[in-house]
Amino acid sequence: IFHAGFEGDSRTYLDGELRLRWTAGDAVSIFAGETLNGEYLFAGETGDNSGDFEEVQTPMGASESLAGHYAIYPYDPQTTISSNGVITYQWPATQNYASETVGLGANVMVAATADIDDYELIFRNVGSFLRLKLWGAQQRVGSITIEGHNGEILAGEAQIMPVYGGVPTSKMVGQTTQVTLDCGSEGVLVSDTKDAPTDFWIVLPEVTFSQGFTVRVNGAYGGQSVCVVNSEV
């Protein structure tokens, strides 16, 4: 059993004060002192900022030893780790909309322990959040797409290095240059007033848009609105 929390008291969704919280049944990959990918489930309740993760099934197969324990949210059976602690993860090109927060499974986080005798996992964000505020009379959003102007890689294979007590580093080595927020088959009806806009959260990997980026808001029943940022971000 591993105990997990967040850096500071700041995951998988944001509460009303923009702090990260766990959801009951959240699954993470834990490399428990070896390079085998083990699935662990959160044993706490939705809204907890810390709690225990329990092993679902002991992984089998050949492995190499690690200097400590490493973890990544969300769980993916295809995620791997090298003997020097570099995690290879498939950053999703599509995220699912969630009201006033990031979509479940979208916020990639990693943790590393001091050594193999340490079972306290402190998770830190790998990416960052893009928060869009939209409004319009009788407008229903079907999806939102983000794309950089200089071919920046936003999804696909990512190489992530968790650092005990420090900030993780990451490098995108995939080929996907767009990320889409899927708002479901019926879309999301946005606020009709600028004073109380509807929030849309998208998680992006560590990236600099050297020539800016474009946001395309696609209507649930057709139509598109485009926002272009031409400065470096």
Side-chain angles (χ1 to χ4, degrees):
I1 296 178
F2 288 84
H3 186 79
F6 301 107
E7 179 186 17
D9 181 23
S10 77
R11 197 267 29 136
T12 64
Y13 82 92
L14 299 164
D15 69 6
E17 298 181 10
L18 306 186
R19 297 172 301 188
L20 294 166
R21 292 292 182 261
W22 295 107
T23 298
D26 272 336
V28 300
S29 292
I30 295 182
F31 302 91
E34 58 184 0
T35 55
L36 291 177
N37 182 349
E39 181 182 7
Y40 286 71
L41 294 183
F42 183 61
E45 301 295 331
T46 297
D48 291 349
N49 69 338
S50 64
D52 292 337
F53 276 85
E54 299 178 349
E55 189 176 38
V56 175
Q57 185 175 354
T58 303
M60 304 295 291
S63 67
E64 296 182 68
S65 297
L66 298 171
H69 307 298
Y70 295 81
I72 181 169
Y73 170 87
Y75 171 76
D76 185 335
Q78 303 305 313
T79 299
T80 61
I81 192 170
S82 66
S83 58
N84 61 348
V86 177
I87 296 175
T88 299
Y89 171 76
Q90 291 297 318
W91 197 288
T94 299
Q95 300 170 24
N96 294 315
Y97 169 82
S99 178
E100 300 181 353
T101 185
V102 295
L104 194 63
N107 188 33
V108 182
M109 299 183 302
V110 294
T113 64
D115 50 46
I116 59 173
D117 295 319
D118 180 8
Y119 292 89
E120 185 79 18
L121 295 167
I122 303 300
F123 280 86
R124 292 172 169 82
N125 293 334
V126 176
S128 58
F129 303 136
L130 176 63
R131 182 185 188 183
L132 304 175
K133 295 176 173 291
L134 304 180
W135 67 91
Q138 298 301 308
Q139 297 298 312
R140 191 174 289 271
V141 176
S143 66
I144 299 173
T145 299
I146 311 297
E147 183 175 17
H149 296 164
N150 196 31
E152 289 86 357
I153 305 302
L154 303 182
E157 184 174 317
Q159 295 178 348
I160 306 168
M161 171 68 85
V163 178
Y164 172 71
V167 178
T169 60
S170 64
K171 178 182 179 181
M172 299 300 296
V173 295
Q175 301 297 319
T176 304
T177 57
Q178 290 186 346
V179 167
T180 297
L181 182 67
D182 185 345
C183 297
S185 58
E186 297 184 359
V188 174
L189 182 65
V190 301
S191 168
D192 61 1
T193 173
K194 181 179 180 180
D195 295 331
T198 301
D199 285 343
F200 292 82
W201 293 84
I202 300 173
V203 183
L204 296 174
E206 182 181 346
V207 63
T208 297
F209 293 112
S210 61
Q211 299 176 19
F213 63 95
T214 293
V215 177
R216 292 181 175 86
V217 181
N218 303 300
Y221 306 117
Q224 184 181 83
S225 180
V226 179
C227 176
V228 178
V229 178
N230 285 317
S231 58
E232 180 178 311
V233 180

